[in-house]
Amino acid sequence: MTKVFASILNADLAHLADVSTVVADAGADYLHYDVMDGCFVDNLSFGLPVLQSLKRCASLPIDVHLMIKEPLRFVKRFAEAGADMISFHIESDSDISKTISVIHACGLPCGLAVSPDTPLEQLYPILPLLNDNDYILLMTVYPGWGSQKFMEEVLQKIRALSAHLKAEHRNLHIQVDGGIQAETAARCREAGADYMVSGTYIVNAENPQAAVASLRER
Ligand code: DX5
Ligand code: ZN
């Protein structure tokens, strides 16, 4: 079943509590919280203290997407600050197996995030370390900013990953992130993705409820 993750990166961050209420009322399933360190990507967003504050006012569970160079240094602290699931990039500098273990030891689902230029062959050897409730985040833009254009070429990658998971009898979720709106979401779902991250399209919508609904199966 499709789940909708509302990214707050491009929302009015001076009113985060209101934003979290609006997207919850609109029917989103999760908040998506993008952490950037100015090293892994050339942008800075928000970190631990903002997550702690958001956690106190948010009714939705929070999916933390770490776009940082050394996720292993921080995953436990993000779990303690209120993350309900955590993804990190396989292109980061941390030991992947240890980072997955720490996320699991915190009792959280783990996501492996894959940038557009990274081949799936780099991901496949790591998949045995994941559990059934975990997820693969295939980036459909280059990580770092909201409001970018969806990269068509990633559709092929979603199809290939989906086929691979079926062949291996794995029940991992496939999450997509970047340029997701009604039409691109439909194509990603058809290709095999079930977790839709969407930012600008939801937070700038005149009717956020219709926007969230349009990301799910008709
Ligand atoms: C990009 C972030 C995304 C971003 C999506 O690096 O990971 O989560 O907020 O924003 P939209 O939906 O506007 O492309
Ligand atoms: Zn993200």
Side-chain angles (χ1 to χ4, degrees), residues 123-138:
L123 170 75
Y124 289 160
I126 319 166
L127 292 181
L129 301 176
L130 294 184
N131 301 327
D132 269 1
N133 208 24
D134 291 335
Y135 55 111
I136 312 298
L137 163 50
L138 291 184

PDB file of all heavy atoms in Angstrom, residues 123-138:
ATOM      1  N   LEU A 123      24.447  -1.407  -4.229  1.00  0.00           N
ATOM      2  CA  LEU A 123      23.459  -1.622  -3.170  1.00  0.00           C
ATOM      3  C   LEU A 123      23.250  -3.116  -2.889  1.00  0.00           C
ATOM      4  O   LEU A 123      23.097  -3.530  -1.730  1.00  0.00           O
ATOM      5  CB  LEU A 123      22.125  -0.985  -3.604  1.00  0.00           C
ATOM      6  CG  LEU A 123      20.888  -1.284  -2.777  1.00  0.00           C
ATOM      7  CD1 LEU A 123      20.929  -0.501  -1.456  1.00  0.00           C
ATOM      8  CD2 LEU A 123      19.616  -0.916  -3.552  1.00  0.00           C
ATOM      9  N   TYR A 124      23.217  -3.919  -3.943  1.00  0.00           N
ATOM     10  CA  TYR A 124      22.791  -5.323  -3.814  1.00  0.00           C
ATOM     11  C   TYR A 124      23.544  -6.121  -2.734  1.00  0.00           C
ATOM     12  O   TYR A 124      22.913  -6.857  -1.978  1.00  0.00           O
ATOM     13  CB  TYR A 124      22.863  -6.030  -5.177  1.00  0.00           C
ATOM     14  CG  TYR A 124      21.791  -5.570  -6.154  1.00  0.00           C
ATOM     15  CD1 TYR A 124      21.942  -5.766  -7.531  1.00  0.00           C
ATOM     16  CD2 TYR A 124      20.638  -4.936  -5.707  1.00  0.00           C
ATOM     17  CE1 TYR A 124      20.963  -5.340  -8.434  1.00  0.00           C
ATOM     18  CE2 TYR A 124      19.663  -4.505  -6.593  1.00  0.00           C
ATOM     19  CZ  TYR A 124      19.833  -4.715  -7.951  1.00  0.00           C
ATOM     20  OH  TYR A 124      18.870  -4.295  -8.829  1.00  0.00           O
ATOM     21  N   PRO A 125      24.885  -5.981  -2.633  1.00  0.00           N
ATOM     22  CA  PRO A 125      25.572  -6.795  -1.609  1.00  0.00           C
ATOM     23  C   PRO A 125      25.165  -6.433  -0.177  1.00  0.00           C
ATOM     24  O   PRO A 125      25.391  -7.229   0.743  1.00  0.00           O
ATOM     25  CB  PRO A 125      27.057  -6.463  -1.828  1.00  0.00           C
ATOM     26  CG  PRO A 125      27.150  -5.784  -3.148  1.00  0.00           C
ATOM     27  CD  PRO A 125      25.820  -5.176  -3.442  1.00  0.00           C
ATOM     28  N   ILE A 126      24.567  -5.257   0.017  1.00  0.00           N
ATOM     29  CA  ILE A 126      24.210  -4.814   1.380  1.00  0.00           C
ATOM     30  C   ILE A 126      22.813  -5.281   1.778  1.00  0.00           C
ATOM     31  O   ILE A 126      22.462  -5.329   2.952  1.00  0.00           O
ATOM     32  CB  ILE A 126      24.231  -3.255   1.482  1.00  0.00           C
ATOM     33  CG1 ILE A 126      25.427  -2.670   0.738  1.00  0.00           C
ATOM     34  CG2 ILE A 126      24.234  -2.801   2.921  1.00  0.00           C
ATOM     35  CD1 ILE A 126      25.322  -1.163   0.514  1.00  0.00           C
ATOM     36  N   LEU A 127      21.983  -5.640   0.788  1.00  0.00           N
ATOM     37  CA  LEU A 127      20.575  -5.950   1.074  1.00  0.00           C
ATOM     38  C   LEU A 127      20.361  -7.047   2.117  1.00  0.00           C
ATOM     39  O   LEU A 127      19.409  -6.973   2.896  1.00  0.00           O
ATOM     40  CB  LEU A 127      19.827  -6.291  -0.220  1.00  0.00           C
ATOM     41  CG  LEU A 127      19.634  -5.119  -1.189  1.00  0.00           C
ATOM     42  CD1 LEU A 127      18.870  -5.566  -2.431  1.00  0.00           C
ATOM     43  CD2 LEU A 127      18.922  -3.951  -0.518  1.00  0.00           C
ATOM     44  N   PRO A 128      21.229  -8.076   2.183  1.00  0.00           N
ATOM     45  CA  PRO A 128      21.011  -9.102   3.210  1.00  0.00           C
ATOM     46  C   PRO A 128      21.041  -8.560   4.636  1.00  0.00           C
ATOM     47  O   PRO A 128      20.547  -9.211   5.560  1.00  0.00           O
ATOM     48  CB  PRO A 128      22.169 -10.086   2.973  1.00  0.00           C
ATOM     49  CG  PRO A 128      22.534  -9.904   1.538  1.00  0.00           C
ATOM     50  CD  PRO A 128      22.300  -8.451   1.232  1.00  0.00           C
ATOM     51  N   LEU A 129      21.606  -7.363   4.844  1.00  0.00           N
ATOM     52  CA  LEU A 129      21.671  -6.784   6.195  1.00  0.00           C
ATOM     53  C   LEU A 129      20.354  -6.126   6.610  1.00  0.00           C
ATOM     54  O   LEU A 129      20.183  -5.742   7.767  1.00  0.00           O
ATOM     55  CB  LEU A 129      22.782  -5.735   6.280  1.00  0.00           C
ATOM     56  CG  LEU A 129      24.207  -6.223   5.960  1.00  0.00           C
ATOM     57  CD1 LEU A 129      25.188  -5.057   5.991  1.00  0.00           C
ATOM     58  CD2 LEU A 129      24.626  -7.296   6.962  1.00  0.00           C
ATOM     59  N   LEU A 130      19.427  -5.981   5.647  1.00  0.00           N
ATOM     60  CA  LEU A 130      18.168  -5.297   5.956  1.00  0.00           C
ATOM     61  C   LEU A 130      17.079  -6.281   6.364  1.00  0.00           C
ATOM     62  O   LEU A 130      17.081  -7.438   5.955  1.00  0.00           O
ATOM     63  CB  LEU A 130      17.690  -4.488   4.744  1.00  0.00           C
ATOM     64  CG  LEU A 130      18.556  -3.291   4.320  1.00  0.00           C
ATOM     65  CD1 LEU A 130      17.895  -2.554   3.164  1.00  0.00           C
ATOM     66  CD2 LEU A 130      18.830  -2.346   5.478  1.00  0.00           C
ATOM     67  N   ASN A 131      16.127  -5.793   7.168  1.00  0.00           N
ATOM     68  CA  ASN A 131      14.959  -6.578   7.563  1.00  0.00           C
ATOM     69  C   ASN A 131      13.768  -6.221   6.675  1.00  0.00           C
ATOM     70  O   ASN A 131      13.803  -5.216   5.964  1.00  0.00           O
ATOM     71  CB  ASN A 131      14.569  -6.262   9.017  1.00  0.00           C
ATOM     72  CG  ASN A 131      15.704  -6.564   9.976  1.00  0.00           C
ATOM     73  OD1 ASN A 131      16.471  -7.502   9.739  1.00  0.00           O
ATOM     74  ND2 ASN A 131      15.808  -5.789  11.036  1.00  0.00           N
ATOM     75  N   ASP A 132      12.701  -6.993   6.813  1.00  0.00           N
ATOM     76  CA  ASP A 132      11.541  -6.782   5.943  1.00  0.00           C
ATOM     77  C   ASP A 132      10.886  -5.411   6.068  1.00  0.00           C
ATOM     78  O   ASP A 132      10.311  -4.924   5.118  1.00  0.00           O
ATOM     79  CB  ASP A 132      10.493  -7.870   6.191  1.00  0.00           C
ATOM     80  CG  ASP A 132      10.736  -9.045   5.253  1.00  0.00           C
ATOM     81  OD1 ASP A 132      11.703  -8.969   4.465  1.00  0.00           O
ATOM     82  OD2 ASP A 132       9.961 -10.015   5.328  1.00  0.00           O
ATOM     83  N   ASN A 133      10.945  -4.799   7.224  1.00  0.00           N
ATOM     84  CA  ASN A 133      10.291  -3.494   7.372  1.00  0.00           C
ATOM     85  C   ASN A 133      11.181  -2.321   6.948  1.00  0.00           C
ATOM     86  O   ASN A 133      10.801  -1.167   7.060  1.00  0.00           O
ATOM     87  CB  ASN A 133       9.825  -3.311   8.819  1.00  0.00           C
ATOM     88  CG  ASN A 133       8.626  -2.405   8.898  1.00  0.00           C
ATOM     89  OD1 ASN A 133       7.881  -2.276   7.923  1.00  0.00           O
ATOM     90  ND2 ASN A 133       8.450  -1.754  10.030  1.00  0.00           N
ATOM     91  N   ASP A 134      12.370  -2.636   6.450  1.00  0.00           N
ATOM     92  CA  ASP A 134      13.311  -1.589   6.035  1.00  0.00           C
ATOM     93  C   ASP A 134      12.984  -1.115   4.616  1.00  0.00           C
ATOM     94  O   ASP A 134      12.069  -1.644   3.969  1.00  0.00           O
ATOM     95  CB  ASP A 134      14.741  -2.121   6.125  1.00  0.00           C
ATOM     96  CG  ASP A 134      15.179  -2.339   7.578  1.00  0.00           C
ATOM     97  OD1 ASP A 134      14.632  -1.673   8.473  1.00  0.00           O
ATOM     98  OD2 ASP A 134      16.051  -3.205   7.806  1.00  0.00           O
ATOM     99  N   TYR A 135      13.744  -0.127   4.149  1.00  0.00           N
ATOM    100  CA  TYR A 135      13.408   0.474   2.861  1.00  0.00           C
ATOM    101  C   TYR A 135      14.645   0.958   2.113  1.00  0.00           C
ATOM    102  O   TYR A 135      15.680   1.226   2.707  1.00  0.00           O
ATOM    103  CB  TYR A 135      12.402   1.627   3.035  1.00  0.00           C
ATOM    104  CG  TYR A 135      12.804   2.727   3.993  1.00  0.00           C
ATOM    105  CD1 TYR A 135      13.116   4.008   3.548  1.00  0.00           C
ATOM    106  CD2 TYR A 135      12.862   2.489   5.374  1.00  0.00           C
ATOM    107  CE1 TYR A 135      13.475   5.020   4.431  1.00  0.00           C
ATOM    108  CE2 TYR A 135      13.224   3.491   6.256  1.00  0.00           C
ATOM    109  CZ  TYR A 135      13.531   4.741   5.792  1.00  0.00           C
ATOM    110  OH  TYR A 135      13.895   5.736   6.674  1.00  0.00           O
ATOM    111  N   ILE A 136      14.493   1.034   0.798  1.00  0.00           N
ATOM    112  CA  ILE A 136      15.531   1.594  -0.072  1.00  0.00           C
ATOM    113  C   ILE A 136      14.995   2.921  -0.586  1.00  0.00           C
ATOM    114  O   ILE A 136      13.897   2.969  -1.143  1.00  0.00           O
ATOM    115  CB  ILE A 136      15.785   0.700  -1.308  1.00  0.00           C
ATOM    116  CG1 ILE A 136      15.955  -0.770  -0.947  1.00  0.00           C
ATOM    117  CG2 ILE A 136      16.974   1.230  -2.117  1.00  0.00           C
ATOM    118  CD1 ILE A 136      17.099  -1.067  -0.073  1.00  0.00           C
ATOM    119  N   LEU A 137      15.775   3.985  -0.394  1.00  0.00           N
ATOM    120  CA  LEU A 137      15.378   5.302  -0.901  1.00  0.00           C
ATOM    121  C   LEU A 137      16.125   5.567  -2.200  1.00  0.00           C
ATOM    122  O   LEU A 137      17.337   5.779  -2.193  1.00  0.00           O
ATOM    123  CB  LEU A 137      15.699   6.375   0.153  1.00  0.00           C
ATOM    124  CG  LEU A 137      15.743   7.837  -0.279  1.00  0.00           C
ATOM    125  CD1 LEU A 137      14.518   8.239  -1.071  1.00  0.00           C
ATOM    126  CD2 LEU A 137      15.868   8.730   0.941  1.00  0.00           C
ATOM    127  N   LEU A 138      15.403   5.503  -3.313  1.00  0.00           N
ATOM    128  CA  LEU A 138      16.024   5.845  -4.599  1.00  0.00           C
ATOM    129  C   LEU A 138      15.763   7.325  -4.857  1.00  0.00           C
ATOM    130  O   LEU A 138      14.609   7.745  -5.036  1.00  0.00           O
ATOM    131  CB  LEU A 138      15.435   4.991  -5.733  1.00  0.00           C
ATOM    132  CG  LEU A 138      15.773   3.499  -5.710  1.00  0.00           C
ATOM    133  CD1 LEU A 138      15.206   2.802  -6.952  1.00  0.00           C
ATOM    134  CD2 LEU A 138      17.287   3.252  -5.613  1.00  0.00           C
TER     135      LEU A 138
END
